Amino acid sequence: MIPVTEFRQFSEQQPAFRVLKPWWDVFTDYLSVAMLMIGVFGCTLQVMQDKIICLPKRISMANQTLLLNSTTEPAPAPPLPPPAQPSPASGVSEMKGLKTNLDIQQYSFINQICYERALHWYAKYFPYLVLIHTLVFMLCSNFWFKFPGSSSKIEHFISILGKCFDSPWTTRALSEVSGENPEEKDKKKNTLNKPNLNMLVTEDNSGKTQPLKSVPEKLVVDKPTAGALDKKEGEQAKALFEKVKKFRLHVEEGDLLYSMYVRQTVLKVLKFLIIIVYNSALVSKVQFTVSCNVDIQDMTGYKHFSCNHTMAHLFSKLSFCYLSLVSVYGLTCLYTLYWLFYRSLKEYSFEYVRQETGIDDIPDVKNDFSFMLHMIDQYDPLYSKRFAVFLSEVSENKLKQLNLNNEWTPDKLRQRLQTNSSNRLELQLFMLSGLPDTIFEVAELQSLRLEIINNVTIPASIAQLEDLQELALYQCSLKIHSAATSFLKENLKVLRVKFDDNRELPHWLYCLRNLEELHLTGSLSPDVSKNITLDSLRELKSLKTLSLRSNFTKIPQCIVDVSSHLQKLYIHNDGTKLVMLNNLKKMTNLTELELVHCDLERIPHAVFSLVNLQELDLKENNLKSIEEILSFQHLHKLTCLKLWHNGIPYIPEHIKKLKSLERLYFSHNKIEVLPSHLFLCNKLRFLDLSYNDIRFIPPEVGVLQSLQYFSITCNKVESLPDELYFCKKLKTLKIGKNSLSLLSPKIANLVLLTHLDLKGNHFEALPAELGACKALKRSGLIVEDALFETLPSEVREKMKVE
């Protein structure tokens, strides 16, 4: 007998695939097993039992006599016994045949001949037809699990689904949502007690409707204990989010699974119709008695036989049973077709999940992704609900936040604290996935610097950082809680923002009424259609320093809004020509002004109206002439003038009018001659003339008795005047990269010298008088090692002692 288990391979699939088998597929599988058993049982009977049993037909005496006379054998017949007297009740005589010794073999032969010739083909092959049809049904039902193009998607989906269902993060996310708002929990409990007509429904096996949310609510509404995820579980959940994203992009591209399932269902319906039609017509051909004519009377003496189909009665009953099973199978397939075409299976809405969980950003899906979720709902809607957690960007951000908090503990953050240039304790974070909540536990934090961090959310807990005064946001897209905005309004003193698009420029900066310094770096323009615009800064009542690194063509009007209290303005252009500077005249309180890389060809006349100006920086412009420098004599508070990195060929003589100058930068120009009038600015403490074409230093340099820093690095000077050594307050002297060949022993007069650059000259030896510069150490003496060795050993040893 053939065991049913031998046919398991035709319908076998992985156990995990059962989640994609709705009730009708499970039901038809059981029907297939029943039909398979009918087929196997019939085939077994065919093999093990006699198929047909034949006996000669009873015929009349006349026919028998005619039969005997028709024999061609002339030999005399053997003596016959006296004929029996016919019974008065019967008109036929006893049948007689030829005597042989092969009775059993004769009838076996006749049975086989009659089985092949007289029995209808349906009666002969019924169990085999049942077996073949059932196997076809099984193949159709499970083909989409076996086809390579679809099975790979299904296996991947089932794998991800199982991990999402069992992930600790899913339980935690749903538990947090159910426990966030007590009022919402009460509403949900009331909803369970009262029927909700608007609740989404699904169909059960009997066609009735039931609430779709009734199944998962059992596990979610109860307030579970949400344990903390360890690092490994957090990383696994993070990897799951990435897998779900990639899988969704891949599966939503087509509808292969949906098409295959529809086609195999249609094929089963067609198969059902064919089976019903021909079986209904042929089932009557299964007869218990069959007449058979076999032309072997020479052997047996008989031609007409009456045969008994031994399994006809059983096959007739099995056929009716089989037809009943096929009918139920077909009706189930018709219902499946109705479900496939009546429901919109290429779109799946998570509306009920969004309502239950409060996670509003769970997206709807389409195509094969949608179809598989609809199939999952027929198995258990809880799968879809738990899977939806990994489609939510909010949920992913929460997980990232949790992982961040686990990675960046308060102790680790405290180890990264450094003192910045403003003498504040600063924490710098670079290229993180978010902002760790543990930052707000570092109460001593004074400055927070965030670089290239997307989706930064500043919560209300920032109020815990009572000492926070400085915030730097470099290419960070940021969201902020309203309570956090209120805190920053009161506490923030310095804000630095570097941005590439409008999302990175915080809108709340315009209401920081206690802000004192604002530093913006990015593309800004008055033209709204081209770049990001800068709104009015009128609300920044305490703003004293404004730094803008952008591409202005004119001074923005927003700067004028704060002109009454603005003291320092720094504009660093990207080389764009700054042509309209009239607004500068209104900023009479400015003490520092930088116009860097603005392609200025002349010193702007508007600058001369800034009577409180103390420092002016015109670095990296295109200045060719500075004759306007005479007008600076009206700026009595001007102490620092930076005209470096330009193309200035000479210094006008009337620079002597700038009596208040203390620092003067002329480096990186094209100056060849130093006018002696320059040294009449006798308050100069800092003079930088490096990187020019100067060949001669006038002896009037000795007038600068307050000079502390003097640099002529990278010029063409061949000798230094002795008067230079009268500047006894010099602490830094840079004369490297020139053509000097001798260093005067008068260098000993510079007893306060701490930094001396001699490298790149033609010195053959250093004077021993360098030892008189008691403040000069080896680290402050920039010179070739070989030249340093020319000093006396005691001088060298003295300098090496730090």
Side-chain angles (χ1 to χ4, degrees):
M1 182 173 179
I2 304 174
V4 178
T5 54
E6 295 295 327
F7 299 92
R8 183 181 299 174
Q9 58 179 329
F10 293 100
S11 61
E12 185 177 9
Q13 68 271 347
Q14 297 183 19
F17 284 5
R18 66 181 182 275
V19 297
L20 286 177
K21 295 183 74 69
W23 67 264
W24 52 81
D25 278 351
V26 176
F27 182 57
T28 53
D29 282 348
Y30 283 113
L31 291 176
S32 297
V33 172
M35 290 187 288
L36 185 65
M37 293 178 66
I38 291 175
V40 172
F41 179 63
C43 291
T44 305
L45 292 177
Q46 288 276 65
V47 174
M48 298 183 63
Q49 296 186 8
D50 293 333
K51 303 178 180 65
I52 194 169
I53 299 175
C54 297
L55 293 175
K57 276 189 177 182
R58 299 175 66 88
I59 58 176
S60 64
M61 180 62 70
N63 292 337
Q64 185 178 9
T65 304
L66 184 61
L67 244 170
L68 294 174
N69 292 335
S70 65
T71 58
T72 58
E73 185 64 37
L80 296 174
Q85 295 298 325
S87 172
S90 175
V92 295
S93 60
E94 181 182 356
M95 296 179 62
K96 297 180 179 179
L98 299 178
K99 298 291 185 177
T100 67
N101 295 324
L102 302 174
D103 292 346
I104 296 177
Q105 289 83 350
Q106 286 176 357
Y107 285 111
S108 295
F109 176 76
I110 292 169
N111 290 343
Q112 294 295 330
I113 293 295
C114 289
Y115 178 79
E116 296 295 333
R117 294 183 180 178
L119 197 63
H120 193 273
W121 65 268
Y122 180 78
K124 290 188 291 184
Y125 302 118
F126 165 73
Y128 303 108
L129 292 174
V130 172
L131 187 62
I132 292 173
H133 291 324
T134 304
L135 292 179
V136 172
F137 278 137
M138 288 182 171
L139 290 174
C140 289
S141 296
N142 298 281
F143 183 73
W144 72 316
F145 292 130
K146 303 293 185 180
F147 184 70
S150 57
S151 64
S152 60
K153 290 183 179 180
I154 293 174
E155 290 176 5
H156 197 182
F157 175 72
I158 297 299
S159 173
I160 294 176
L161 182 69
K163 292 177 182 178
C164 293
F165 189 88
D166 297 331
S167 173
W169 171 247
T170 310
T171 304
R172 180 187 176 97
L174 294 177
S175 300
E176 286 181 351
V177 169
S178 63
E180 274 180 356
N181 193 337
E183 295 180 1
E184 291 183 2
K185 286 187 67 178
D186 294 339
K187 290 180 181 178
K188 289 182 180 179
K189 291 180 180 178
N190 294 333
T191 304
L192 290 177
N193 296 329
K194 297 179 181 180
N196 186 355
L197 298 178
N198 296 326
M199 189 183 304
L200 293 177
V201 296
T202 184
E203 297 180 1
D204 62 4
N205 295 2
S206 61
K208 298 179 181 180
T209 59
Q210 62 178 1
L212 194 57
K213 58 187 269 183
S214 60
V215 178
E217 197 67 82
K218 295 178 183 178
L219 296 178
V220 179
V221 170
D222 296 336
K223 188 174 181 181
T225 303
L229 268 68
D230 58 26
K231 184 175 181 181
K232 181 179 179 181
E233 291 172 338
E235 291 299 325
Q236 289 175 347
K238 181 180 178 182
L240 265 181
F241 272 104
E242 294 300 322
K243 286 183 180 179
V244 170
K245 283 182 181 179
K246 293 179 181 179
F247 179 76
R248 180 188 173 194
L249 291 175
H250 174 63
V251 176
E252 281 191 323
E253 292 176 354
D255 58 352
L256 175 64
L257 298 178
Y258 174 78
S259 300
M260 289 194 65
Y261 192 82
V262 169
R263 290 172 184 174
Q264 70 184 32
T265 305
V266 170
L267 183 59
K268 288 192 290 185
V269 170
L270 293 177
K271 188 76 174 175
F272 149 72
L273 294 176
I274 293 173
I275 293 172
I276 290 296
V277 169
Y278 89 83
N279 276 270
S280 300
L282 298 178
V283 70
S284 61
K285 301 295 183 182
V286 182
Q287 298 177 352
F288 184 76
T289 303
V290 180
S291 297
C292 176
N293 296 325
V294 183
D295 192 13
I296 56 170
Q297 56 267 44
D298 293 342
M299 181 185 300
T300 64
Y302 299 100
K303 180 177 181 181
H304 302 284
F305 297 90
S306 178
C307 301
N308 176 21
H309 184 196
T310 59
M311 290 173 287
H313 181 73
L314 180 60
F315 279 6
S316 178
K317 302 301 181 184
L318 288 178
S319 63
F320 284 110
C321 182
Y322 173 66
L323 286 176
S324 300
L325 293 176
V326 170
S327 299
V328 177
Y329 191 102
L331 292 175
T332 306
C333 292
L334 288 173
Y335 171 79
T336 305
L337 279 183
Y338 166 78
W339 182 79
L340 288 172
F341 294 117
Y342 177 75
R343 300 280 298 270
S344 180
L345 300 181
K346 289 189 178 182
E347 296 178 357
Y348 188 91
S349 174
F350 285 101
E351 182 62 30
Y352 80 97
V353 180
R354 292 192 287 264
Q355 291 177 358
E356 273 193 26
T357 63
I359 306 176
D360 297 329
D361 70 324
I362 300 175
D364 297 336
V365 295
K366 59 183 180 180
N367 289 337
D368 279 347
F369 202 176
S370 168
F371 177 65
M372 286 189 287
L373 290 173
H374 280 291
M375 298 290 278
I376 288 291
D377 280 347
Q378 298 300 319
Y379 182 80
D380 189 349
L382 182 59
Y383 277 91
S384 298
K385 178 176 181 178
R386 295 179 72 88
F387 188 79
V389 172
F390 287 87
L391 292 171
S392 167
E393 186 176 350
V394 171
S395 176
E396 183 178 9
N397 291 336
K398 287 183 179 179
L399 175 65
K400 290 179 179 178
Q401 192 66 44
L402 182 64
N403 289 340
L404 274 175
N405 296 340
N406 291 337
E407 180 181 359
W408 295 92
T409 61
D411 292 337
K412 183 177 179 180
L413 293 172
R414 286 188 176 94
Q415 293 174 2
R416 297 175 64 92
L417 288 177
Q418 296 180 348
T419 303
N420 63 9
S421 57
S422 302
N423 200 29
R424 293 189 178 101
L425 277 179
E426 181 176 85
L427 174 63
Q428 180 179 357
L429 298 177
F430 179 72
M431 290 189 70
L432 298 183
S433 58
L435 189 64
D437 292 332
T438 49
I439 288 179
F440 310 115
E441 299 179 23
V442 187
E444 64 270 27
L445 186 64
Q446 295 176 313
S447 174
L448 179 59
R449 182 174 178 177
L450 308 177
E451 295 188 37
I452 316 179
I453 302 178
N454 294 323
N455 302 320
V456 177
T457 300
I458 298 182
S461 53
I462 195 175
Q464 299 174 18
L465 304 178
E466 297 179 354
D467 295 332
L468 184 67
Q469 297 181 348
E470 183 174 342
L471 178 62
L473 304 172
Y474 293 166
Q475 295 177 332
C476 298
S477 55
L478 184 141
K479 298 178 182 178
I480 187 168
H481 194 273
S482 57
T485 304
S486 302
F487 170 80
L488 294 178
K489 283 181 182 179
E490 301 297 331
N491 293 73
L492 200 61
K493 303 295 183 183
V494 180
L495 176 63
R496 306 176 189 273
V497 181
K498 183 178 181 180
F499 55 91
D500 289 331
D501 56 52
N502 192 33
R503 294 175 301 174
E504 298 173 359
L505 184 63
H507 62 278
W508 43 265
L509 70 87
Y510 303 108
C511 59
L512 302 177
R513 54 175 172 265
N514 289 326
L515 192 67
E516 296 178 359
E517 295 184 25
L518 177 59
H519 303 262
L520 300 178
T521 302
S523 180
L524 291 167
S525 174
D527 189 353
V528 178
S529 63
K530 292 183 179 180
N531 292 291
I532 305 166
T533 58
L534 193 62
D535 295 337
S536 175
L537 305 177
R538 188 175 292 107
E539 297 298 322
L540 307 184
K541 303 296 185 181
S542 302
L543 190 64
K544 294 180 174 59
T545 301
L546 178 60
S547 174
L548 302 174
R549 295 178 178 266
S550 188
N551 54 349
F552 296 112
T553 56
K554 62 180 181 180
I555 301 296
Q557 181 62 33
C558 62
I559 299 179
V560 181
D561 296 338
V562 292
S563 60
S564 60
H565 45 82
L566 192 64
Q567 298 178 3
K568 300 178 182 180
L569 175 61
Y570 308 125
I571 296 179
H572 292 236
N573 258 13
D574 59 359
T576 303
K577 191 176 185 63
L578 191 61
V579 293
M580 300 179 65
L581 299 167
N582 293 333
N583 284 339
L584 283 178
K585 295 180 179 180
K586 302 175 182 179
M587 302 179 190
T588 55
N589 292 321
L590 279 183
T591 58
E592 294 184 18
L593 175 62
E594 289 185 9
L595 300 175
V596 176
H597 208 191
C598 296
D599 197 24
L600 301 176
E601 296 179 359
R602 311 282 293 198
I603 298 175
H605 289 280
V607 175
F608 305 134
S609 302
L610 307 178
V611 293
N612 291 311
L613 195 63
Q614 298 177 11
E615 183 176 330
L616 176 63
D617 188 353
L618 299 177
K619 181 183 178 181
E620 293 182 350
N621 281 286
N622 194 23
L623 299 178
K624 295 295 189 293
S625 174
I626 54 172
E627 291 294 336
E628 302 89 346
I629 204 171
L630 178 62
S631 299
F632 282 132
Q633 64 180 326
H634 304 296
L635 306 182
H636 300 294
K637 296 181 180 180
L638 186 65
T639 58
C640 179
L641 180 60
K642 298 180 179 180
L643 300 173
W644 47 349
H645 295 270
N646 281 282
I648 300 172
Y650 66 95
I651 301 175
E653 291 185 358
H654 40 256
I655 195 172
K656 63 184 179 181
K657 301 289 187 180
L658 308 183
K659 298 293 185 179
S660 60
L661 278 183
E662 295 180 3
R663 290 182 293 158
L664 184 59
Y665 295 75
F666 271 115
S667 64
H668 296 84
N669 279 287
K670 299 179 180 179
I671 300 171
E672 296 181 358
V673 178
L674 290 179
S676 58
H677 298 81
L678 171 63
F679 304 105
L680 295 179
C681 301
N682 51 22
K683 290 186 178 181
L684 280 176
R685 294 183 292 105
F686 186 104
L687 180 58
D688 187 358
L689 299 169
S690 57
Y691 294 90
N692 279 282
D693 296 324
I694 301 171
R695 296 178 180 272
F696 176 73
I697 304 297
E700 286 80 3
V701 70
V703 177
L704 303 179
Q705 291 298 302
S706 299
L707 194 63
Q708 298 178 13
Y709 180 101
F710 183 61
S711 175
I712 55 170
T713 302
C714 202
N715 277 280
K716 300 176 182 179
V717 179
E718 297 179 356
S719 63
L720 295 176
D722 291 342
E723 289 78 4
L724 176 62
Y725 305 108
F726 296 161
C727 303
K728 295 182 180 182
K729 292 184 180 181
L730 265 178
K731 295 181 180 180
T732 300
L733 178 60
K734 296 184 178 182
I735 56 176
K737 297 182 182 180
N738 278 280
S739 301
L740 299 172
S741 58
L742 180 64
L743 184 62
S744 173
K746 295 182 180 180
I747 190 75
N749 295 336
L750 307 180
V751 293
L752 299 179
L753 199 64
T754 59
H755 187 94
L756 176 61
D757 185 0
L758 303 174
K759 198 170 186 177
N761 283 285
H762 306 308
F763 297 120
E764 295 181 359
L766 295 180
E769 286 76 7
L770 272 177
C773 302
K774 297 180 180 180
L776 185 63
K777 302 299 180 182
R778 179 65 183 95
S779 59
L781 178 60
I782 311 300
V783 69
E784 293 84 353
D785 292 339
L787 198 55
F788 179 72
E789 294 298 326
T790 62
L791 288 170
S793 59
E794 61 274 11
V795 176
R796 296 199 305 272
E797 293 299 328
K798 184 178 180 181
M799 286 186 176
K800 289 180 181 179
V801 178
E802 296 292 339

